[in-house]
Amino acid sequence: MHLQFQPQRRYLGYHPVLLMLAVVVGISIIREWWLVAVMALEIYCLLLRYLGRQASAERQYARKVAEEVGELHLRTIEGLASAINAKDNTTHEHLARVVVHAEAIGKEMGLREDELKALRTAALLHDIGKLAVPEHIISKPGRLTEEEFEKMKTHTLVGAEILERVRFPYPVVPIVRSHHERWNGSGYPDGLKGEEIPVGARILAVVDSFDALSSDRQYRRALSRQDAMEVIKKGSGVLYDPKIVEIFERIYPRLESLVKSFPQFGATLSTGVKIQRGLAPTEGLSVERVTDTSSALCSIAQARKELQILYELTQALGNSLSVEETLRLLADKLRELIPYDTIAVYFTHDGKLVPRFVVGVNDWLVGRMQIPLGEGVSGWVAAQGKYSLNGNPAVEPGYVEDPRRFSRFRSALSVPLDSAKGIIGALTLYSLHPNGFNVDHLRILKSVGMKAGSTLQNALIYEATGKSAETDPLTGLANARSLWARLEQETARAERDNTFYSVFVVDLNGLKRINDTRGHLVGNKVLEGVAAALHSCLRPYDTLARMGGDEFVLLLPGMDAEEAAVKRIDLARAVEALNKDFPGLGISISMGSASFPQDGREPEKLIATADRRMYWHKSEYYKSHPNVAPSTPPDGSPPQARTETGKTAPGEQAARQVATAWPPRISTRYHGLS
């Protein structure tokens, strides 16, 4: 901005002419030309002094105006930067660290005053181009897809185009455009490398990356400042200017105090004024309005965050057919919007609310409550189809029985789960604080409950259908269809996490003899007993399935071959104990195991290997028990893998392609429990 007073300067050219006229007039009157000349010279000197003082005052005024405009300009930049970072879910501390670190490096490198101003402005506004990037990409809690990353990269060009129109008196635009360029040329948008990158952009690349590494993000926890610095050092000479990295490593420990003294952007606004006008809704229990005071920037960030989370939640609910997955998703997403201590989802069953999902404080106690419809906070909500804000948890039936067990809760927020077939339950949040919820929390929970009710109803129907389709009707175990799906999931997880698992193929010896001599009812009871005995040896996250007939399969995540050898003994002993309940039947099993990845990386190959090893043990058992052995083929090969229905057992064809010898891993004493 140029503040000059041209009219006064224009008049300076007329002063000598006026003096000459004054001299001519003076000589004609006084007749002493030298006296007139002296007087004219004195007058001219006085005039010059007056004009000099006036020009100095004008310069001071112009400087003051320029400083005020500059301060206004800077405050505008800082306010805009704060709004942008509120949208991006970053904080004032992020801006402070980036600005302070960048300026400190610039001073160490001896940058000029205009370069330092450009660096400060660019540090504040380097992400202004993210206004053109969709919010679901900016806030995505995970790795971006290729298309999302291409969209994200445009923020450098958009930011440069926005700031180009401001016409800063110092070079801000090149820094903003190039702050994602990398020393080796692998950056964007222009692929600059080395000293082709503006020095301000090189500085900003280092400090912005350092602050990102040392701050929490949606997809990872923050690194310590020392660990973040180690990551930056590894990129020295590859991603970052080595000279700048060396300077930053030397000075960053002493910059934290400067960050804390960095001026705050914007004033805190009061939003706690209670508005008297407007009628409250008549439905539900009485509402006590809870207000708080927050800054305008927090409101911007919270509004954006709420919209984003509700959008993600709606999308996920629309695609979910798993009850557990849906409930876990609800709990995780709601925690980001509502500060609850415990969440409970109740479903109606036989006139009561039965907790299906409880997470948080006292979850094991809340999970045991059976709430009659119409009683307590949750029962009243489910029966009336209305909501309860800051209800008293002490009126829940579980509290009435023993109030001391639940005395920690002070308030509850509950909404009905409504579906096309009516109310199926209640979604209740508990807080340890009195009046722990406000009307905004109620608004969010009501909108979530409306969508979640229909989704959960569909998931319950799907779950009931799926259980009948994936469960063995005799033993209640998973069937072959369910087992193969679980095997695929576990294999993918083991590949991803570089872990291992083991599978067992277990076959009941002599089931045909039991059916022929004692009847199929006894044979079925023996199968049920074997299933229960095997299940008693498993961990909560293991899988036991009945493949059909007398064959079972066990999936044991995180168990290697050595541990599997020990597990064989436990399984054999558990089944052997059944002989106390079924005397005279000689109940025993044959087993074979295979481990991922030692014995293979495909589920089919692992099952085939375990199947072949099981039949090796079965042949050993039949050798020692010829009275229960089936007829042996003329070639002397082991009995074929056949189920009760006569179909070839899973993995038999693949097993025939594997070598027939398998040294047992433990004593053969337990191959058939003879």
Side-chain angles (χ1 to χ4, degrees):
M1 180 178 292
H2 303 285
L3 298 177
Q4 298 176 349
F5 294 80
Q6 300 296 338
Q8 288 78 355
R9 296 189 178 187
R10 185 169 65 249
Y11 293 147
L12 288 177
Y14 299 142
H15 294 151
V17 177
L18 294 175
L19 285 174
M20 292 177 63
L21 291 174
V23 168
V24 172
V25 173
I27 292 175
S28 63
I29 297 175
I30 302 177
R31 307 284 185 178
E32 297 290 337
W33 64 269
W34 61 271
L35 180 61
V36 174
V38 171
M39 293 175 62
L41 182 61
E42 290 180 352
I43 292 172
Y44 187 74
C45 290
L46 290 173
L47 181 61
L48 289 179
R49 178 179 296 180
Y50 167 77
L51 293 175
R53 289 180 178 176
Q54 186 179 16
S56 177
E58 291 173 355
R59 287 193 298 271
Q60 290 179 1
Y61 176 78
R63 187 181 303 111
K64 181 179 179 181
V65 172
E67 290 175 354
E68 291 178 352
V69 172
E71 291 178 1
L72 178 62
H73 193 187
L74 181 60
R75 288 196 297 271
T76 303
I77 293 171
E78 291 173 344
L80 179 59
S82 297
I84 294 167
N85 283 274
K87 178 181 185 296
D88 194 13
N89 248 3
T90 52
T91 62
H92 163 77
E93 287 76 17
H94 166 73
L95 283 176
R97 285 191 294 268
V98 171
V99 172
V100 169
H101 293 168
E103 283 189 321
I105 295 175
K107 291 177 181 178
E108 286 288 323
M109 297 180 68
L111 298 185
R112 301 189 309 271
E113 183 63 24
D114 62 330
E115 292 177 320
L116 288 175
K117 289 181 179 179
L119 183 58
R120 177 187 176 91
T121 303
L124 288 169
L125 298 178
H126 63 282
D127 282 336
I128 189 173
K130 288 184 178 179
L131 291 170
V133 180
E135 294 184 1
H136 69 89
I137 296 178
I138 294 175
S139 303
K140 182 177 180 179
R143 185 181 182 86
L144 299 180
T145 65
E146 183 177 349
E147 295 77 13
E148 290 170 340
F149 185 59
E150 287 298 321
K151 185 64 177 178
M152 177 65 80
K153 289 193 292 186
T154 62
H155 84 276
T156 55
L157 295 177
V158 174
E161 291 171 0
I162 292 173
L163 298 179
E164 204 167 53
R165 304 180 184 182
V166 180
R167 300 186 184 280
F168 289 99
Y170 30 78
V172 176
V173 174
I175 300 177
V176 173
R177 180 185 179 94
S178 303
H179 74 278
H180 277 289
E181 300 286 359
R182 294 297 178 250
W183 186 255
N184 62 357
S186 63
Y188 60 89
D190 302 311
L192 304 179
K193 61 181 178 180
E195 295 187 354
E196 295 175 352
I197 307 171
V199 64
R202 282 180 268 151
I203 294 173
L204 193 56
V206 171
V207 299
D208 195 35
S209 297
F210 174 82
D211 189 68
L213 290 168
S214 56
S215 302
D216 285 332
R217 290 292 186 264
Q218 295 97 329
Y219 48 89
R220 60 159 173 79
R221 301 293 298 172
L223 300 178
S224 67
R225 297 173 69 214
Q226 292 77 11
D227 292 340
M229 192 68 240
E230 289 299 319
V231 174
I232 295 296
K233 286 169 62 179
K234 290 179 181 178
S236 177
V238 179
L239 303 178
Y240 313 112
D241 185 339
K243 180 181 178 182
I244 293 175
V245 173
E246 186 273 329
I247 293 174
F248 187 50
E249 183 185 10
R250 187 176 71 250
I251 66 174
Y252 88 92
R254 57 182 173 85
L255 298 179
E256 194 60 28
S257 59
L258 296 177
V259 172
K260 294 179 181 178
S261 63
F262 195 83
Q264 292 280 343
F265 299 153
T268 299
L269 304 179
S270 174
T271 59
V273 179
K274 185 174 182 179
I275 300 175
Q276 301 293 337
R277 297 182 62 82
L279 297 177
T282 57
E283 60 181 10
L285 302 182
S286 62
V287 176
E288 182 172 348
R289 187 175 299 272
V290 181
T291 59
D292 59 1
T293 302
S294 59
S295 68
L297 297 180
C298 289
S299 299
I300 294 172
Q302 183 63 24
R304 187 215 57 78
K305 181 179 180 181
E306 177 184 326
L307 178 63
Q308 177 67 26
I309 292 175
L310 289 178
Y311 172 78
E312 292 175 357
L313 184 58
T314 301
Q315 291 293 102
L317 289 177
N319 298 325
S320 176
L321 282 176
S322 167
V323 176
E324 299 303 325
E325 176 185 338
T326 302
L327 296 176
R328 178 63 62 181
L329 180 68
L330 275 175
D332 293 342
K333 293 299 182 182
L334 285 176
R335 187 176 292 279
E336 300 182 48
L337 296 174
I338 304 176
Y340 66 82
D341 294 299
T342 300
I343 180 173
V345 178
Y346 302 95
F347 288 151
T348 57
H349 181 69
D350 292 336
K352 294 182 178 180
L353 287 182
V354 179
R356 173 64 184 266
F357 180 86
V358 182
V359 173
V361 178
N362 280 353
D363 53 0
W364 65 280
L365 291 173
V366 176
R368 294 165 56 187
M369 290 196 299
Q370 304 283 316
I371 303 176
L373 288 176
E375 297 186 18
V377 175
S378 303
W380 183 88
V381 165
Q384 300 296 324
K386 300 180 180 180
Y387 65 85
S388 172
L389 175 61
N390 290 324
N392 183 9
V395 301
E396 298 280 32
Y399 286 60
V400 174
E401 294 173 7
D402 188 357
R404 292 171 298 179
R405 295 190 307 172
F406 300 91
S407 60
R408 298 182 65 186
F409 292 140
R410 292 293 182 268
S411 57
L413 173 60
S414 184
V415 298
L417 292 173
D418 201 357
S419 70
K421 295 186 177 182
I423 295 175
I424 63 171
L427 170 58
T428 305
L429 307 181
Y430 298 100
S431 175
L432 298 175
H433 307 285
N435 299 322
F437 306 102
N438 59 36
V439 289
D440 283 335
H441 300 152
L442 174 62
R443 171 179 53 80
I444 293 170
L445 197 64
K446 286 178 68 178
S447 63
V448 170
M450 292 172 61
K451 179 65 178 177
S454 298
T455 301
L456 287 169
Q457 174 67 25
N458 294 335
L460 287 171
I461 296 173
Y462 180 80
E463 180 182 69
T465 305
K467 282 185 177 179
S468 62
E470 298 183 354
T471 303
D472 175 63
L474 176 63
T475 61
L477 301 177
N479 60 15
R481 174 183 177 183
S482 177
L483 172 69
W484 285 109
R486 182 72 181 88
L487 275 169
E488 294 289 346
Q489 294 175 357
E490 185 59 31
T491 301
R493 187 196 65 80
E495 290 279 9
R496 182 178 63 251
D497 299 338
N498 195 27
T499 56
F500 37 79
Y501 68 86
S502 294
V503 293
F504 276 79
V505 174
V506 179
D507 193 84
L508 177 61
N509 296 321
L511 177 61
K512 185 177 186 306
R513 175 178 56 82
I514 296 174
N515 287 334
D516 291 343
T517 59
R518 299 294 183 92
H520 286 276
L521 291 179
V522 175
N524 288 342
K525 290 185 178 298
V526 170
L527 285 172
E528 292 175 347
V530 170
L534 294 175
H535 193 273
S536 68
C537 298
L538 302 185
R539 301 162 298 180
Y541 48 87
D542 294 334
T543 300
L544 173 62
R546 184 188 180 204
M547 295 296 286
D550 54 3
E551 191 170 73
F552 300 87
V553 174
L554 291 77
L555 171 60
L556 309 172
M559 183 173 291
D560 59 16
E562 295 299 323
E563 294 173 319
V566 176
K567 178 60 70 174
R568 289 168 54 83
I569 300 177
D570 296 336
L571 295 171
R573 286 174 173 168
V575 174
E576 184 182 38
L578 291 174
N579 286 293
K580 296 178 182 178
D581 300 324
F582 299 95
L585 294 185
I587 299 173
S588 64
I589 55 175
S590 296
M591 290 177 284
S593 64
S595 299
F596 175 97
Q598 297 96 319
D599 297 314
R601 308 188 77 90
E602 296 81 28
E604 293 82 0
K605 184 175 180 180
L606 291 171
I607 290 293
T609 302
D611 199 48
R612 176 180 54 80
R613 292 170 176 174
M614 183 273 292
Y615 275 101
W616 185 92
H617 276 172
K618 183 173 281 290
S619 66
E620 293 295 308
Y621 171 79
Y622 285 144
K623 289 178 183 178
S624 59
H625 297 76
N627 59 316
V628 296
S631 58
T632 303
D635 59 1
S637 61
Q640 295 298 313
R642 297 280 176 175
T643 65
E644 286 289 297
T645 60
K647 297 181 180 180
T648 303
E652 176 193 353
Q653 185 174 0
R656 293 172 181 172
Q657 300 173 3
V658 186
T660 57
W662 175 52
R665 302 188 177 210
I666 58 173
S667 171
T668 57
R669 176 181 181 276
Y670 286 104
H671 74 264
L673 280 177
S674 56

